[in-house]
Amino acid sequence: MAKKSKKQQQSGGTPATVALTAAGVEFTVHAYEHDPSQPSYGEEAAEAMGVSPDRVFKTLVADVDGTLVVGVVPVAGTLDLKALASAVGGKRATMADPALAERTTGYVRGGISPLGQRKKLRTVLDSSARDHATVCVSAGRRGLEVELAPGDLAELTGAVLAPIGRG
């Protein structure tokens, strides 16, 4: 099976799409031309795909009491760090150092996916994801998104659902 994953990666797949394929989950890949001058990767993705920003979710890595945790929230809002800490039984959360987030997940900022991370981190998905038949998250690189059912996303990442988004 490792050979298949490596072959899939060489043919343009990312660890996220390889994980989805291996799990047999139904998903759609959306590619768009990333503009490096855009200030918000998520909002750029929503606009490029013609999808409402409340259905496109960004993946943010935070430090909760010394442990890295992933928060997945709609790009239209922000991550409530206090709510994230509470969702995992922590006391205090701060945004993780970007270089540490990149090293730990194996993805670059703006392309961090909650799926297929180098080191699987505890994940919290904003409960608003349940409001949609499908949501979009990064597929593991800038300019590439995957669309899938929120239940599949939660199951594959081992995410808990909690109200961690603001706005």
Side-chain angles (χ1 to χ4, degrees), residues 61-87:
V61 181
D63 179 317
V64 178
D65 300 332
T67 301
L68 293 182
V69 175
V70 171
V72 184
V73 297
V75 301
T78 58
L79 173 63
D80 182 335
L81 289 166
K82 193 171 196 168
L84 177 67
S86 178

PDB file of all heavy atoms in Angstrom, residues 61-87:
ATOM      1  N   VAL A  61      -3.065  26.040  13.428  1.00  0.00           N
ATOM      2  CA  VAL A  61      -2.381  25.264  14.458  1.00  0.00           C
ATOM      3  C   VAL A  61      -2.132  26.173  15.654  1.00  0.00           C
ATOM      4  O   VAL A  61      -1.570  27.264  15.514  1.00  0.00           O
ATOM      5  CB  VAL A  61      -1.062  24.665  13.933  1.00  0.00           C
ATOM      6  CG1 VAL A  61      -0.378  23.831  15.008  1.00  0.00           C
ATOM      7  CG2 VAL A  61      -1.313  23.813  12.682  1.00  0.00           C
ATOM      8  N   ALA A  62      -2.560  25.703  16.814  1.00  0.00           N
ATOM      9  CA  ALA A  62      -2.412  26.470  18.052  1.00  0.00           C
ATOM     10  C   ALA A  62      -1.653  25.638  19.084  1.00  0.00           C
ATOM     11  O   ALA A  62      -1.581  24.414  18.984  1.00  0.00           O
ATOM     12  CB  ALA A  62      -3.781  26.856  18.600  1.00  0.00           C
ATOM     13  N   ASP A  63      -1.119  26.331  20.058  1.00  0.00           N
ATOM     14  CA  ASP A  63      -0.439  25.694  21.184  1.00  0.00           C
ATOM     15  C   ASP A  63      -1.393  25.794  22.368  1.00  0.00           C
ATOM     16  O   ASP A  63      -1.714  26.884  22.831  1.00  0.00           O
ATOM     17  CB  ASP A  63       0.865  26.442  21.473  1.00  0.00           C
ATOM     18  CG  ASP A  63       1.627  25.874  22.644  1.00  0.00           C
ATOM     19  OD1 ASP A  63       1.008  25.543  23.682  1.00  0.00           O
ATOM     20  OD2 ASP A  63       2.860  25.763  22.550  1.00  0.00           O
ATOM     21  N   VAL A  64      -1.872  24.641  22.811  1.00  0.00           N
ATOM     22  CA  VAL A  64      -2.766  24.601  23.962  1.00  0.00           C
ATOM     23  C   VAL A  64      -1.995  23.964  25.117  1.00  0.00           C
ATOM     24  O   VAL A  64      -1.689  22.776  25.078  1.00  0.00           O
ATOM     25  CB  VAL A  64      -4.059  23.804  23.673  1.00  0.00           C
ATOM     26  CG1 VAL A  64      -4.947  23.754  24.919  1.00  0.00           C
ATOM     27  CG2 VAL A  64      -4.824  24.417  22.504  1.00  0.00           C
ATOM     28  N   ASP A  65      -1.633  24.780  26.090  1.00  0.00           N
ATOM     29  CA  ASP A  65      -0.906  24.308  27.274  1.00  0.00           C
ATOM     30  C   ASP A  65       0.321  23.471  26.902  1.00  0.00           C
ATOM     31  O   ASP A  65       0.606  22.439  27.507  1.00  0.00           O
ATOM     32  CB  ASP A  65      -1.833  23.500  28.199  1.00  0.00           C
ATOM     33  CG  ASP A  65      -3.020  24.309  28.694  1.00  0.00           C
ATOM     34  OD1 ASP A  65      -2.902  25.554  28.799  1.00  0.00           O
ATOM     35  OD2 ASP A  65      -4.072  23.705  28.963  1.00  0.00           O
ATOM     36  N   GLY A  66       1.045  23.898  25.850  1.00  0.00           N
ATOM     37  CA  GLY A  66       2.268  23.215  25.454  1.00  0.00           C
ATOM     38  C   GLY A  66       2.096  22.094  24.448  1.00  0.00           C
ATOM     39  O   GLY A  66       3.070  21.438  24.075  1.00  0.00           O
ATOM     40  N   THR A  67       0.873  21.857  23.987  1.00  0.00           N
ATOM     41  CA  THR A  67       0.603  20.796  23.008  1.00  0.00           C
ATOM     42  C   THR A  67      -0.021  21.417  21.762  1.00  0.00           C
ATOM     43  O   THR A  67      -0.943  22.231  21.867  1.00  0.00           O
ATOM     44  CB  THR A  67      -0.372  19.752  23.609  1.00  0.00           C
ATOM     45  OG1 THR A  67       0.215  19.207  24.780  1.00  0.00           O
ATOM     46  CG2 THR A  67      -0.661  18.641  22.618  1.00  0.00           C
ATOM     47  N   LEU A  68       0.472  21.017  20.586  1.00  0.00           N
ATOM     48  CA  LEU A  68      -0.096  21.538  19.352  1.00  0.00           C
ATOM     49  C   LEU A  68      -1.457  20.908  19.078  1.00  0.00           C
ATOM     50  O   LEU A  68      -1.631  19.694  19.208  1.00  0.00           O
ATOM     51  CB  LEU A  68       0.839  21.276  18.172  1.00  0.00           C
ATOM     52  CG  LEU A  68       2.158  22.033  18.182  1.00  0.00           C
ATOM     53  CD1 LEU A  68       2.965  21.701  16.924  1.00  0.00           C
ATOM     54  CD2 LEU A  68       1.951  23.532  18.300  1.00  0.00           C
ATOM     55  N   VAL A  69      -2.412  21.762  18.702  1.00  0.00           N
ATOM     56  CA  VAL A  69      -3.788  21.354  18.417  1.00  0.00           C
ATOM     57  C   VAL A  69      -4.221  22.074  17.149  1.00  0.00           C
ATOM     58  O   VAL A  69      -3.856  23.231  16.933  1.00  0.00           O
ATOM     59  CB  VAL A  69      -4.734  21.735  19.592  1.00  0.00           C
ATOM     60  CG1 VAL A  69      -6.179  21.440  19.256  1.00  0.00           C
ATOM     61  CG2 VAL A  69      -4.319  21.028  20.869  1.00  0.00           C
ATOM     62  N   VAL A  70      -5.001  21.399  16.329  1.00  0.00           N
ATOM     63  CA  VAL A  70      -5.508  21.986  15.093  1.00  0.00           C
ATOM     64  C   VAL A  70      -6.937  22.473  15.310  1.00  0.00           C
ATOM     65  O   VAL A  70      -7.771  21.737  15.832  1.00  0.00           O
ATOM     66  CB  VAL A  70      -5.478  20.942  13.950  1.00  0.00           C
ATOM     67  CG1 VAL A  70      -6.209  21.460  12.717  1.00  0.00           C
ATOM     68  CG2 VAL A  70      -4.048  20.582  13.599  1.00  0.00           C
ATOM     69  N   GLY A  71      -7.195  23.706  14.887  1.00  0.00           N
ATOM     70  CA  GLY A  71      -8.543  24.257  14.884  1.00  0.00           C
ATOM     71  C   GLY A  71      -8.953  24.475  13.441  1.00  0.00           C
ATOM     72  O   GLY A  71      -8.202  25.064  12.661  1.00  0.00           O
ATOM     73  N   VAL A  72     -10.125  23.978  13.051  1.00  0.00           N
ATOM     74  CA  VAL A  72     -10.611  24.104  11.677  1.00  0.00           C
ATOM     75  C   VAL A  72     -11.883  24.945  11.733  1.00  0.00           C
ATOM     76  O   VAL A  72     -12.893  24.512  12.290  1.00  0.00           O
ATOM     77  CB  VAL A  72     -10.867  22.714  11.047  1.00  0.00           C
ATOM     78  CG1 VAL A  72     -11.268  22.859   9.588  1.00  0.00           C
ATOM     79  CG2 VAL A  72      -9.636  21.818  11.179  1.00  0.00           C
ATOM     80  N   VAL A  73     -11.803  26.159  11.170  1.00  0.00           N
ATOM     81  CA  VAL A  73     -12.902  27.122  11.266  1.00  0.00           C
ATOM     82  C   VAL A  73     -13.187  27.747   9.900  1.00  0.00           C
ATOM     83  O   VAL A  73     -12.318  27.774   9.038  1.00  0.00           O
ATOM     84  CB  VAL A  73     -12.582  28.246  12.287  1.00  0.00           C
ATOM     85  CG1 VAL A  73     -12.428  27.698  13.689  1.00  0.00           C
ATOM     86  CG2 VAL A  73     -11.338  29.022  11.886  1.00  0.00           C
ATOM     87  N   PRO A  74     -14.405  28.279   9.715  1.00  0.00           N
ATOM     88  CA  PRO A  74     -14.733  28.938   8.441  1.00  0.00           C
ATOM     89  C   PRO A  74     -13.796  30.119   8.172  1.00  0.00           C
ATOM     90  O   PRO A  74     -13.437  30.855   9.095  1.00  0.00           O
ATOM     91  CB  PRO A  74     -16.166  29.434   8.641  1.00  0.00           C
ATOM     92  CG  PRO A  74     -16.724  28.599   9.739  1.00  0.00           C
ATOM     93  CD  PRO A  74     -15.556  28.288  10.634  1.00  0.00           C
ATOM     94  N   VAL A  75     -13.430  30.296   6.905  1.00  0.00           N
ATOM     95  CA  VAL A  75     -12.532  31.392   6.554  1.00  0.00           C
ATOM     96  C   VAL A  75     -13.190  32.749   6.764  1.00  0.00           C
ATOM     97  O   VAL A  75     -12.497  33.756   6.882  1.00  0.00           O
ATOM     98  CB  VAL A  75     -11.994  31.275   5.107  1.00  0.00           C
ATOM     99  CG1 VAL A  75     -11.249  29.977   4.913  1.00  0.00           C
ATOM    100  CG2 VAL A  75     -13.082  31.453   4.075  1.00  0.00           C
ATOM    101  N   ALA A  76     -14.517  32.778   6.838  1.00  0.00           N
ATOM    102  CA  ALA A  76     -15.238  34.031   7.030  1.00  0.00           C
ATOM    103  C   ALA A  76     -15.064  34.583   8.445  1.00  0.00           C
ATOM    104  O   ALA A  76     -15.380  35.732   8.704  1.00  0.00           O
ATOM    105  CB  ALA A  76     -16.724  33.829   6.735  1.00  0.00           C
ATOM    106  N   GLY A  77     -14.546  33.777   9.365  1.00  0.00           N
ATOM    107  CA  GLY A  77     -14.393  34.216  10.745  1.00  0.00           C
ATOM    108  C   GLY A  77     -12.984  33.993  11.275  1.00  0.00           C
ATOM    109  O   GLY A  77     -12.033  33.877  10.509  1.00  0.00           O
ATOM    110  N   THR A  78     -12.894  33.936  12.595  1.00  0.00           N
ATOM    111  CA  THR A  78     -11.609  33.739  13.248  1.00  0.00           C
ATOM    112  C   THR A  78     -11.713  32.588  14.249  1.00  0.00           C
ATOM    113  O   THR A  78     -12.812  32.161  14.620  1.00  0.00           O
ATOM    114  CB  THR A  78     -11.162  35.011  14.008  1.00  0.00           C
ATOM    115  OG1 THR A  78     -12.166  35.343  14.974  1.00  0.00           O
ATOM    116  CG2 THR A  78     -10.948  36.182  13.066  1.00  0.00           C
ATOM    117  N   LEU A  79     -10.562  32.125  14.684  1.00  0.00           N
ATOM    118  CA  LEU A  79     -10.489  31.068  15.680  1.00  0.00           C
ATOM    119  C   LEU A  79     -10.577  31.680  17.072  1.00  0.00           C
ATOM    120  O   LEU A  79      -9.819  32.590  17.395  1.00  0.00           O
ATOM    121  CB  LEU A  79      -9.173  30.294  15.521  1.00  0.00           C
ATOM    122  CG  LEU A  79      -8.846  29.246  16.571  1.00  0.00           C
ATOM    123  CD1 LEU A  79      -9.882  28.121  16.576  1.00  0.00           C
ATOM    124  CD2 LEU A  79      -7.452  28.679  16.331  1.00  0.00           C
ATOM    125  N   ASP A  80     -11.497  31.188  17.877  1.00  0.00           N
ATOM    126  CA  ASP A  80     -11.628  31.608  19.271  1.00  0.00           C
ATOM    127  C   ASP A  80     -10.690  30.720  20.087  1.00  0.00           C
ATOM    128  O   ASP A  80     -11.004  29.558  20.353  1.00  0.00           O
ATOM    129  CB  ASP A  80     -13.080  31.450  19.724  1.00  0.00           C
ATOM    130  CG  ASP A  80     -13.323  31.899  21.155  1.00  0.00           C
ATOM    131  OD1 ASP A  80     -12.379  31.888  21.977  1.00  0.00           O
ATOM    132  OD2 ASP A  80     -14.475  32.241  21.463  1.00  0.00           O
ATOM    133  N   LEU A  81      -9.531  31.258  20.447  1.00  0.00           N
ATOM    134  CA  LEU A  81      -8.506  30.468  21.135  1.00  0.00           C
ATOM    135  C   LEU A  81      -8.975  29.948  22.488  1.00  0.00           C
ATOM    136  O   LEU A  81      -8.659  28.818  22.865  1.00  0.00           O
ATOM    137  CB  LEU A  81      -7.222  31.284  21.282  1.00  0.00           C
ATOM    138  CG  LEU A  81      -6.466  31.527  19.981  1.00  0.00           C
ATOM    139  CD1 LEU A  81      -5.402  32.612  20.154  1.00  0.00           C
ATOM    140  CD2 LEU A  81      -5.832  30.235  19.489  1.00  0.00           C
ATOM    141  N   LYS A  82      -9.749  30.740  23.187  1.00  0.00           N
ATOM    142  CA  LYS A  82     -10.263  30.303  24.490  1.00  0.00           C
ATOM    143  C   LYS A  82     -11.208  29.108  24.318  1.00  0.00           C
ATOM    144  O   LYS A  82     -11.150  28.131  25.065  1.00  0.00           O
ATOM    145  CB  LYS A  82     -10.977  31.474  25.181  1.00  0.00           C
ATOM    146  CG  LYS A  82     -11.265  31.246  26.628  1.00  0.00           C
ATOM    147  CD  LYS A  82     -11.774  32.533  27.276  1.00  0.00           C
ATOM    148  CE  LYS A  82     -11.690  32.398  28.767  1.00  0.00           C
ATOM    149  NZ  LYS A  82     -11.900  33.668  29.440  1.00  0.00           N
ATOM    150  N   ALA A  83     -12.070  29.164  23.302  1.00  0.00           N
ATOM    151  CA  ALA A  83     -13.002  28.065  23.026  1.00  0.00           C
ATOM    152  C   ALA A  83     -12.250  26.813  22.572  1.00  0.00           C
ATOM    153  O   ALA A  83     -12.616  25.698  22.935  1.00  0.00           O
ATOM    154  CB  ALA A  83     -14.023  28.481  21.965  1.00  0.00           C
ATOM    155  N   LEU A  84     -11.171  27.006  21.802  1.00  0.00           N
ATOM    156  CA  LEU A  84     -10.363  25.867  21.364  1.00  0.00           C
ATOM    157  C   LEU A  84      -9.738  25.173  22.569  1.00  0.00           C
ATOM    158  O   LEU A  84      -9.808  23.946  22.689  1.00  0.00           O
ATOM    159  CB  LEU A  84      -9.268  26.311  20.386  1.00  0.00           C
ATOM    160  CG  LEU A  84      -8.323  25.206  19.922  1.00  0.00           C
ATOM    161  CD1 LEU A  84      -9.054  24.183  19.059  1.00  0.00           C
ATOM    162  CD2 LEU A  84      -7.141  25.802  19.160  1.00  0.00           C
ATOM    163  N   ALA A  85      -9.143  25.952  23.454  1.00  0.00           N
ATOM    164  CA  ALA A  85      -8.534  25.373  24.655  1.00  0.00           C
ATOM    165  C   ALA A  85      -9.575  24.609  25.460  1.00  0.00           C
ATOM    166  O   ALA A  85      -9.339  23.472  25.888  1.00  0.00           O
ATOM    167  CB  ALA A  85      -7.886  26.473  25.507  1.00  0.00           C
ATOM    168  N   SER A  86     -10.730  25.206  25.640  1.00  0.00           N
ATOM    169  CA  SER A  86     -11.807  24.569  26.395  1.00  0.00           C
ATOM    170  C   SER A  86     -12.255  23.256  25.741  1.00  0.00           C
ATOM    171  O   SER A  86     -12.515  22.270  26.431  1.00  0.00           O
ATOM    172  CB  SER A  86     -12.983  25.540  26.505  1.00  0.00           C
ATOM    173  OG  SER A  86     -14.052  24.942  27.177  1.00  0.00           O
ATOM    174  N   ALA A  87     -12.317  23.237  24.401  1.00  0.00           N
ATOM    175  CA  ALA A  87     -12.781  22.049  23.673  1.00  0.00           C
ATOM    176  C   ALA A  87     -11.875  20.838  23.873  1.00  0.00           C
ATOM    177  O   ALA A  87     -12.328  19.699  23.762  1.00  0.00           O
ATOM    178  CB  ALA A  87     -12.901  22.361  22.184  1.00  0.00           C
TER     179      ALA A  87
END
